[in-house]
Amino acid sequence: MGDPGRAYVHGYHEREEERLLDQAGTLVDLLHHDTRYPEGALVLEAGCGVGAQTVTLATNSPRARFLSVDISEASVAAARRRVADAGLVNVELRQADILAEPFPAATFDHVFVCFVLEHLAEPARALEALKRMLRPGGTITVIEGDHGTTTFHPDSATAHEAIDALVTLQARGGGDATIGRRLYPLLVDAGFAAVRVSPRMVYVDDSRPDLVQGFTRATFTAMIAGVRDEALEAGLLSAERFDQGIRDLERTAEGGGVFCYTFFKGTGEVAS
Ligand SMILES: C[S@@+](CC[C@H](N)C(=O)[O-])C[C@H]1O[C@@H](n2cnc3c(N)ncnc32)[C@H](O)[C@@H]1O
């Protein structure tokens, strides 16, 4: 199957690939420190994209086996190159649509999903499909963002308007850029047991130059800037206002600026 094109609000171009890698590199400890899979476990990574999380997952759990899939052939090819460059031998990559339940029931010991549900019109259906592919006693780990948690100094109504433009575009495409706050009910309603969700806040000020560059600039502001053409085409705000919003976001990455964003990480089990 080819790329789903506009269905994915951030697109599949090269700059987006770099952005996903910057994001993953910057957030490794915050998002991955408590995810380790045991020897021999078979893990489905659903929606692996260009492999930004795959390398961390497979490096942190070298004795587990990963089957990482994405609906985009091009992303799978990029992920395959990254995994090979990292010298990892415990990852297999395949093109697959998770909604089509491409593997038999109870195939996997664990499922890992990161930044995928926010793009789906039917996240509940995806979770139910993933649950059926998990064995009894298996676990799911889901990580999602929530753009509604964004706060910064200096504050700017214009910057919030630019962020809201992305939230609106994603909603029009069937997704939900504020899905993080819904992880708990989504996992419970899909029938997972022992559901736990923890907020993971990224706090950035200029005493943390890695995060200023890797998160505020190269991840978040780049993501908002990436929807400029679409936001203007949709008439959500004027070019002047959008560009001012981006400048105001950039200002939060300069001296005395502060930027905060919260991710949500949820886990659940399939009752045995
Ligand atoms: C924002 S990217 C996240 C990629 C990766 N998990 C990461 O954290 O960098 C979302 C990915 O989900 C994939 N995706 C969307 N719908 C899918 C589906 N039904 N089955 C498999 N992958 C899907 C997209 O192709 C895209 O690569």
Side-chain angles (χ1 to χ4, degrees):
M1 187 198 275
D3 290 339
R6 290 172 70 86
Y8 172 42
V9 70
H10 307 313
Y12 288 98
H13 48 81
E14 217 171 277
R15 182 66 199 99
E16 171 59 7
E17 177 170 339
E18 271 172 42
R19 195 189 68 79
L20 286 170
L21 298 176
D22 281 337
Q23 168 172 267
T26 307
L27 302 175
V28 165
D29 284 346
L30 182 77
L31 300 182
H32 285 272
H33 74 89
D34 50 355
T35 297
R36 294 292 183 277
Y37 298 110
E39 178 163 4
L42 180 59
V43 184
L44 173 65
E45 185 195 1
C48 63
V50 295
Q53 315 295 338
T54 315
V55 170
T56 301
L57 283 172
T59 303
N60 285 347
S61 299
R63 296 187 185 284
R65 292 174 299 137
F66 293 85
L67 187 44
S68 299
V69 305
D70 199 281
I71 199 167
S72 156
E73 294 270 18
S75 295
V76 169
R80 199 170 275 128
R81 285 193 294 276
R82 268 187 75 69
V83 163
D85 288 350
L88 291 161
V89 293
N90 56 336
V91 182
E92 189 187 325
L93 284 139
R94 278 196 218 167
Q95 188 277 330
D97 176 357
I98 54 173
L99 292 169
E101 289 182 49
F103 306 103
T107 299
F108 297 96
D109 300 303
H110 305 282
V111 168
F112 179 90
V113 200
C114 186
F115 309 142
V116 175
L117 299 185
E118 62 166 311
H119 297 292
L120 303 181
E122 296 178 285
R125 203 182 124 213
L127 287 174
E128 285 158 14
L130 292 170
K131 182 165 172 273
R132 281 189 287 273
M133 292 187 275
L134 270 170
R135 66 162 170 77
T139 73
I140 189 165
T141 299
V142 186
I143 301 172
E144 295 290 340
D146 185 328
H147 297 354
T149 66
T150 310
T151 55
F152 37 81
H153 174 80
D155 201 4
S156 153
T158 322
H160 283 292
E161 269 179 51
I163 296 168
D164 288 347
L166 169 55
V167 173
T168 301
L169 290 170
Q170 200 159 326
R172 287 184 185 173
D176 179 0
T178 63
I179 200 169
R181 68 191 70 178
R182 292 169 54 211
L183 264 194
Y184 183 81
L186 280 166
L187 286 164
V188 169
D189 292 350
F192 287 99
V195 174
R196 299 287 299 168
V197 173
S198 63
R200 310 277 162 119
M201 191 201 213
V202 189
Y203 168 82
V204 189
D205 63 29
D206 59 23
S207 69
R208 302 163 193 244
D210 289 0
L211 285 173
V212 168
Q213 180 52 32
F215 190 74
T216 308
R217 289 202 180 106
T219 298
F220 193 86
T221 306
M223 173 181 70
I224 304 300
V227 299
R228 182 181 190 275
D229 292 349
E230 240 185 298
L232 300 191
E233 245 173 65
L236 294 177
L237 70 180
S238 67
E240 292 69 31
R241 234 169 144 69
F242 189 90
D243 295 342
Q244 184 61 50
I246 297 299
R247 278 197 295 278
D248 288 353
L249 283 175
E250 284 165 353
R251 170 68 188 88
T252 72
E254 290 160 14
V258 172
F259 190 89
C260 305
Y261 185 93
T262 304
F263 294 93
F264 294 83
K265 181 169 182 175
T267 55
E269 290 174 18
V270 178
S272 321

